PDB file of all heavy atoms in Angstrom:
ATOM      1  N   LEU E  38      25.961 153.934 108.126  1.00 93.00           N
ATOM      2  CA  LEU E  38      24.772 153.888 107.266  1.00 93.00           C
ATOM      3  C   LEU E  38      24.469 152.435 106.927  1.00 93.00           C
ATOM      4  O   LEU E  38      25.372 151.612 106.803  1.00 93.00           O
ATOM      5  CB  LEU E  38      24.994 154.650 105.958  1.00 93.00           C
ATOM      6  CG  LEU E  38      25.204 156.160 106.009  1.00 93.00           C
ATOM      7  CD1 LEU E  38      25.532 156.673 104.612  1.00 93.00           C
ATOM      8  CD2 LEU E  38      23.967 156.866 106.554  1.00 93.00           C
ATOM      9  N   VAL E  92      27.550 156.795  89.532  1.00 95.00           N
ATOM     10  CA  VAL E  92      27.397 157.701  88.387  1.00 95.00           C
ATOM     11  C   VAL E  92      27.730 159.093  88.905  1.00 95.00           C
ATOM     12  O   VAL E  92      26.964 159.677  89.673  1.00 95.00           O
ATOM     13  CB  VAL E  92      25.973 157.679  87.805  1.00 95.00           C
ATOM     14  CG1 VAL E  92      25.890 158.587  86.572  1.00 95.00           C
ATOM     15  CG2 VAL E  92      25.565 156.266  87.429  1.00 95.00           C
ATOM     16  N   PHE E 100      35.079 158.650  81.120  1.00 95.00           N
ATOM     17  CA  PHE E 100      35.158 158.078  79.780  1.00 95.00           C
ATOM     18  C   PHE E 100      36.542 158.300  79.201  1.00 95.00           C
ATOM     19  O   PHE E 100      37.107 159.396  79.325  1.00 95.00           O
ATOM     20  CB  PHE E 100      34.114 158.707  78.846  1.00 95.00           C
ATOM     21  CG  PHE E 100      32.705 158.236  79.075  1.00 95.00           C
ATOM     22  CD1 PHE E 100      31.923 158.801  80.064  1.00 95.00           C
ATOM     23  CD2 PHE E 100      32.160 157.214  78.310  1.00 95.00           C
ATOM     24  CE1 PHE E 100      30.618 158.371  80.285  1.00 95.00           C
ATOM     25  CE2 PHE E 100      30.862 156.770  78.518  1.00 95.00           C
ATOM     26  CZ  PHE E 100      30.093 157.351  79.513  1.00 95.00           C
ATOM     27  N   MET E 172      13.347 165.658  80.496  1.00 91.00           N
ATOM     28  CA  MET E 172      14.234 164.509  80.482  1.00 91.00           C
ATOM     29  C   MET E 172      14.571 164.066  81.909  1.00 91.00           C
ATOM     30  O   MET E 172      14.734 162.873  82.171  1.00 91.00           O
ATOM     31  CB  MET E 172      15.508 164.847  79.708  1.00 91.00           C
ATOM     32  CG  MET E 172      16.443 163.649  79.515  1.00 91.00           C
ATOM     33  SD  MET E 172      15.634 162.192  78.799  1.00 91.00           S
ATOM     34  CE  MET E 172      15.169 162.845  77.194  1.00 91.00           C
TER      35      MET E 172
END
Side-chain angles (χ1 to χ4, degrees):
L38 295 175
V92 183
F100 285 83
M172 186 52 64

